[in-house]
Amino acid sequence: MSTSTATLMDGTALARRTVEETAARAAELTRRTGVTPCLATVLVGEDPASVTYVKMKQNRCAKAGIRSRHVELPAATTTEELVATIGALSADPEVHGILLQHPVGPHIDERAAFEAIAPEKDVDGVTMASFAAMGFGLPGFVSCTPGGIMRLLDAYEVGLTGKRAVVVGRSAILGKPAGLLLLGRDATVTYCHSRTTDLSSIVREADILVAAVGKPRFIKGEDIKPGAVVIDAGYNPGNVGDVDFAPAAERASLITPVPGGVGPMTIAVLLAQTVEAAERHVV
Amino acid sequence: MSTSTATLMDGTALARRTVEETAARAAELTRRTGVTPCLATVLVGEDPASVTYVKMKQNRCAKAGIRSRHVELPAATTTEELVATIGALSADPEVHGILLQHPVGPHIDERAAFEAIAPEKDVDGVTMASFAAMGFGLPGFVSCTPGGIMRLLDAYEVGLTGKRAVVVGRSAILGKPAGLLLLGRDATVTYCHSRTTDLSSIVREADILVAAVGKPRFIKGEDIKPGAVVIDAGYNPGNVGDVDFAPAAERASLITPVPGGVGPMTIAVLLAQTVEAAERHVV
C-alpha cells in the first residue's frame, strides 16, 4: 500500500481560528456599541437535513457571540409569503445578516426569495448583487463555500497568479463564484461540468483543482497532476467527497479532507460575514 | 503563399439581417401602440472616438426606427452629476434604453454611473444585475459584444455543448460575460488573461476561441487548433484584430474578419435590445 504524500489542509483548525477572531470582533463591537450581531435564519418546511444545518449554524453563532433569530415557515409557504418574510428581515434594523436555508421546495421561486435579501445583509453571498460583486472584484459578501476555499488557499500560502485552476461544477453559489474569485486572483480558470467531454485530460492540467459536483469519488486519483492542490467541496453520504481521496493524496501536494476541509470553513465565513455586516451597519 | 481555408463569419451581413428584423419589430410596435422605441445616449466629454461611436449608434437607431435622445455632458462632470442624469433617464417613461458611452474619464466612478441605469433599460448590458443574469441564465439584457458573438455562433450553427471554449481577456463587459454565456450553453470554458502562463498551449486546445484583449495580432496563427472557430473581438488601430488573421484563417474552420465580424453585431444587439425594452415597457 502506498503512502499519502500530500499535506492535509486542515479546515477544522482554520475554521476554529477564524471563528475565534470573529468572536473577538463580535465581543469588541458589543462592548463598544452595545450592539450584538444578529443572523436571521429562515427555514421553510421540516427537511431533517435542513433542520440539522440550521441548528448547527445557530449553535455556532451562539459560540461566536452572534444572536440568531430563527424564522420557521410551513412547507406550504408561497413565494409571495417567503419574499414578504425576507423583505421584513431586510428592513429590520436589528437583523444584520439573513440566511435562507436551501432548498426551499420546488413550488417556491428560490431566486425571487434570495433576491429579497438586502445586499448589505447577504452574508451567505447568494444574491445576484453578491455574484456580480465577486465577478467584478467589488466590495460585497462572497458565497460562503467559495469564500472558505479562498481562505484555505491563502492560509496554506498557495500562489494563484498564473496557475491553472480547474473548477468542476458550475452551480450559482459554489462552482461559478469559486471560478470568479480564482479569476480575480489571476488564476487561469477552466469551468468543467456535466457536459464536459474528456474531463480527465482537463483535470490533469490543474495546478489547483476545485471539485464541486456532488458525486462521490467522481475525480479519480490518477487524474491529479503531481503536486497539485486539491480542494474537495463535495460532501456525499458516508462522509465521502467528490475526489477519490486516497489515490489523490498520493499525487497532490495539498488536499482537503472530507469531512474537516471545506465544510467547516463554510460556516466560519458565514459567521465572519455576519459580524462584518453588523460592523458596517453600526458605523 | 498558402490559401485561407476558413469560412468567413460575415458580421456585416448578419447585422444587416438583425437590424432589418429589429426595424420591423420597431415599426410594428409603433403601428400597434403609437410608441417609438427610444435610446438615450450619454456622452461625457469630447473624446473624438467616443463622439464618433455615439454618432454612429444614433444613425443606426434612426435607420431602425428607434428615436435617440442625446445627452452631452462636459468632461468636468462629477460622478454625482452623472449619476443624477442617468437616474433621471432611468425614471423617464419615454426612454426605453440607456447607453453610457465608455470611457467617462478617470475622475468619475464609472461603476456608480453604470449602476444608475435601471436594469430594465440596460440595453447595453453593463450593470451588475445584467452580469448576474448572464451568469445565472436568467432573463435580462446581455452585454452587446458577447451577445453579438453568441448570435454569430448560432447563425453559423456552431455546436457549443461540450466544446472547449477559450476566452482570452476578462473585462467586465466582454471577456467575463462572453465566458458566462458560453458556459450557459454548455461549453467547457477557460478564461485566459495577462497573467496566464503558457497561453499558446491553452489556445491550442480551443475548439472555439474568443480573442478579447485589445492587442494587435496577439493570437498567433500557429496556435489555432485545426478546424477551430475563431472569434476576434479585438479592434486595434489600422483595422487589425487580436488574432493574426491570415495564418489563423489557414487553420480555422470559421473565422470573423476585422472589421466586419464582431463589430457590426455589437450595435445590432444594442438596437435589438432597445426595441425589446420598449416592447416590454409597453406590454
Side-chain angles (χ1 to χ4, degrees):
Chain A
M1 188 181 158
S2 50
T3 316
S4 164
T5 57
T7 299
L8 284 183
M9 300 176 86
D10 188 342
T12 305
L14 179 60
R16 191 184 306 121
R17 291 201 298 278
T18 305
V19 173
E20 283 169 6
E21 287 165 17
T22 298
R25 281 171 55 188
E28 169 61 16
L29 181 74
T30 304
R31 190 195 61 72
R32 189 166 54 81
T33 67
V35 171
T36 302
C38 174
L39 175 69
T41 57
V42 180
L43 177 64
V44 181
E46 296 172 353
D47 173 66
S50 293
V51 170
T52 303
Y53 279 129
V54 168
K55 200 157 286 177
M56 183 168 68
K57 288 166 187 173
Q58 291 172 318
N59 289 341
R60 299 294 170 83
C61 278
K63 286 186 185 164
I66 297 170
R67 285 195 302 131
S68 52
R69 183 193 299 186
H70 189 45
V71 179
E72 285 181 20
L73 297 171
T77 301
T78 65
T79 298
E80 291 66 33
E81 289 165 344
L82 181 56
V83 165
T85 298
I86 293 173
L89 295 169
S90 288
D92 186 335
E94 294 195 354
V95 170
H96 305 111
I98 301 170
L99 171 100
L100 170 61
Q101 183 63 40
H102 168 90
V104 291
H107 67 292
I108 291 178
D109 179 349
E110 185 175 82
R111 178 46 52 196
F114 280 151
E115 293 307 311
I117 300 172
E120 69 273 15
K121 299 188 181 184
D122 180 23
V123 295
D124 203 24
V126 296
T127 60
M128 293 171 74
S130 295
F131 180 80
M134 287 184 272
F136 290 171
L138 294 171
F141 294 117
V142 299
S143 304
C144 290
T145 302
I149 289 169
M150 299 309 287
R151 285 176 185 244
L152 271 168
L153 291 169
D154 285 341
Y156 285 86
E157 297 180 342
V158 177
L160 300 174
T161 300
K163 295 291 175 63
R164 294 289 306 266
V166 172
V167 179
V168 187
R170 53 173 166 169
S171 70
I173 58 171
L174 211 177
K176 268 187 195 140
L180 288 176
L181 293 175
L182 289 162
L183 184 60
R185 293 282 296 277
D186 294 331
T188 299
V189 174
T190 300
Y191 286 104
C192 297
H193 46 80
S194 56
R195 309 306 294 269
T196 292
T197 51
D198 202 10
L199 178 68
S200 286
S201 74
I202 300 173
V203 170
R204 282 166 195 253
E205 297 164 358
D207 300 310
I208 297 152
L209 177 73
V210 176
V213 277
K215 295 181 186 171
R217 298 192 186 93
F218 183 67
I219 305 292
K220 301 300 166 208
E222 67 208 47
D223 290 340
I224 302 300
K225 180 176 172 178
V229 176
V230 176
I231 305 287
D232 190 344
Y235 184 65
N236 306 291
N239 278 343
V240 173
D242 288 350
V243 177
D244 196 5
F245 182 84
E250 287 171 25
R251 302 173 70 91
S253 61
L254 290 164
I255 189 168
T256 58
V258 176
V262 172
M265 287 306 299
T266 298
I267 295 186
V269 171
L270 175 71
L271 302 181
Q273 294 195 143
T274 300
V275 173
E276 200 179 319
E279 289 170 341
R280 289 189 202 167
H281 175 78
V282 169
V283 165
Chain B
M1 189 180 158
S2 49
T3 316
S4 163
T5 57
T7 299
L8 285 182
M9 300 176 86
D10 188 342
T12 305
L14 179 60
R16 191 184 306 121
R17 290 201 299 278
T18 306
V19 173
E20 282 169 5
E21 288 166 17
T22 298
R25 281 170 55 188
E28 169 62 17
L29 182 73
T30 303
R31 189 195 60 72
R32 189 165 54 81
T33 67
V35 171
T36 302
C38 174
L39 175 70
T41 58
V42 180
L43 177 65
V44 181
E46 296 171 354
D47 172 66
S50 292
V51 170
T52 303
Y53 280 130
V54 167
K55 200 157 287 178
M56 182 167 68
K57 289 167 186 172
Q58 291 172 318
N59 288 341
R60 299 295 171 82
C61 278
K63 287 186 185 163
I66 297 170
R67 284 194 303 133
S68 54
R69 182 193 299 185
H70 189 45
V71 179
E72 285 182 20
L73 298 170
T77 301
T78 65
T79 298
E80 291 67 32
E81 289 164 343
L82 181 56
V83 165
T85 298
I86 294 173
L89 294 170
S90 287
D92 186 335
E94 294 196 355
V95 170
H96 305 112
I98 300 170
L99 171 101
L100 171 61
Q101 182 64 40
H102 167 92
V104 291
H107 67 292
I108 291 178
D109 179 349
E110 184 174 81
R111 178 48 50 197
F114 280 151
E115 293 307 310
I117 300 173
E120 69 273 16
K121 299 188 181 185
D122 181 23
V123 294
D124 204 23
V126 296
T127 59
M128 293 171 75
S130 295
F131 180 81
M134 287 184 272
F136 291 172
L138 294 172
F141 294 117
V142 299
S143 304
C144 290
T145 302
I149 289 169
M150 300 308 288
R151 285 175 185 243
L152 271 168
L153 291 169
D154 285 341
Y156 285 86
E157 297 179 342
V158 176
L160 300 174
T161 300
K163 294 293 174 61
R164 293 289 305 265
V166 172
V167 178
V168 187
R170 53 173 166 171
S171 71
I173 57 172
L174 212 177
K176 268 186 195 139
L180 289 176
L181 293 175
L182 288 162
L183 184 59
R185 293 282 297 277
D186 294 332
T188 299
V189 174
T190 300
Y191 285 104
C192 298
H193 46 78
S194 57
R195 309 305 294 269
T196 292
T197 51
D198 203 10
L199 177 69
S200 286
S201 74
I202 300 173
V203 169
R204 281 166 195 253
E205 296 164 358
D207 300 310
I208 297 153
L209 177 73
V210 176
V213 277
K215 295 182 186 170
R217 299 191 184 93
F218 182 68
I219 305 292
K220 301 301 165 207
E222 68 206 47
D223 289 340
I224 302 300
K225 180 175 172 178
V229 175
V230 176
I231 305 287
D232 190 344
Y235 184 65
N236 306 290
N239 278 343
V240 173
D242 288 350
V243 177
D244 195 5
F245 182 83
E250 287 170 24
R251 301 174 70 93
S253 61
L254 289 164
I255 188 168
T256 58
V258 175
V262 172
M265 287 307 299
T266 298
I267 296 187
V269 171
L270 175 71
L271 301 182
Q273 294 195 143
T274 300
V275 173
E276 200 178 320
E279 289 169 341
R280 288 190 204 168
H281 174 78
V282 168
V283 163

